[in-house]
Amino acid sequence: MRKVQFYGAISLDGYLATTDQRLDWLFQTAGGDEAPTEQFLQQVDTAIMGRHTYEYTMAETTDQLINPYRPETRTIVMTTAPHAGNATTQFTNTPVAELVDHLRREAGQSIWIVGGSGVLMPLITANLVDDLFIQIAPVILGSGIRLFTTSEQSQRYQLVNVTHYDQLAELHYQKQVAD
């Protein structure tokens, strides 16, 4: 079965972006270029994200690739208004937990969960996220878009590794399996 992995960054106070969806605070953090992003993305063949994350990525990248290390990566964008995509990008309003449950049973490499709580929290609630790779930047934003929102149930993960890249700390958690 394919692994479902979140890989992303937050501020010390748990925000993944400012209220106007900016990430400049992250790009100004020393060490980001040292993180093993390329290694992680080379083992990914599917990326799932929300529309805001997709639009931000397309606006900010010159190569227009979600995964520049594997250009053939299949990108699935969660949106309330699906429309035609292209050979590598699909837009859907299928519930994300249903979509991921189906995808993880298909042959392939890891599934990368990108972006915010709208995509991540339903997957955590459905117990579908195997790994969390969370990079923490030493900045307090005070407000913004949270990575985690409230949930009706708790989910336990086990700390596997802590690494730091200059001013960026990366925590790797794996889903804890029930005894």
Side-chain angles (χ1 to χ4, degrees):
M1 193 164 307
R2 299 166 72 182
K3 281 193 157 208
V4 178
Q5 301 175 307
F6 172 83
Y7 185 90
I10 60 172
S11 63
L12 274 176
D13 51 351
Y15 297 104
L16 61 92
T18 61
T19 52
D20 58 354
Q21 301 179 15
R22 288 189 353 268
L23 296 175
D24 53 337
W25 58 272
L26 175 60
F27 301 131
Q28 295 166 1
T29 301
D33 56 340
E34 298 171 29
T37 304
E38 180 177 350
Q39 179 183 2
F40 175 83
L41 291 177
Q42 285 177 346
Q43 53 92 38
V44 167
D45 68 1
T46 304
I48 299 176
M49 65 190 64
R51 181 183 55 83
H52 292 294
T53 301
Y54 176 77
E55 289 174 354
Y56 178 86
T57 303
M58 292 296 101
E60 296 298 319
T61 59
T62 55
D63 56 17
Q64 299 292 290
L65 295 171
I66 297 299
N67 184 351
Y69 307 107
R70 290 195 67 186
E72 70 279 7
T73 296
R74 176 182 179 193
T75 300
I76 302 173
V77 181
M78 307 308 298
T79 179
T80 56
H83 53 85
N86 58 38
T88 58
T89 305
Q90 169 189 348
F91 297 86
T92 184
N93 61 359
T94 301
V96 68
E98 179 182 321
L99 173 70
V100 168
D101 189 46
H102 173 77
L103 289 172
R104 63 192 266 260
R105 296 172 197 278
E106 294 179 350
Q109 292 187 284
S110 294
I111 300 168
W112 175 29
I113 306 306
V114 188
S117 63
V119 174
L120 182 60
M121 290 306 296
L123 297 174
I124 287 177
T125 299
N127 199 27
L128 292 172
V129 178
D130 298 301
D131 292 284
L132 297 165
F133 292 89
I134 301 174
Q135 296 168 348
I136 302 173
V139 59
I140 295 174
L141 295 178
S143 66
I145 300 168
R146 289 212 173 271
L147 176 58
F148 299 106
T149 55
T150 58
S151 175
E152 296 295 317
Q153 67 186 48
S154 65
Q155 176 72 49
R156 183 158 302 272
Y157 284 82
Q158 180 176 355
L159 181 63
V160 175
N161 193 33
V162 178
T163 310
H164 78 86
Y165 308 100
D166 199 342
Q167 293 298 303
L168 199 64
E170 182 177 271
L171 307 174
H172 175 197
Y173 294 98
Q174 284 183 337
K175 179 172 49 176
Q176 190 169 356
V177 277
D179 296 329

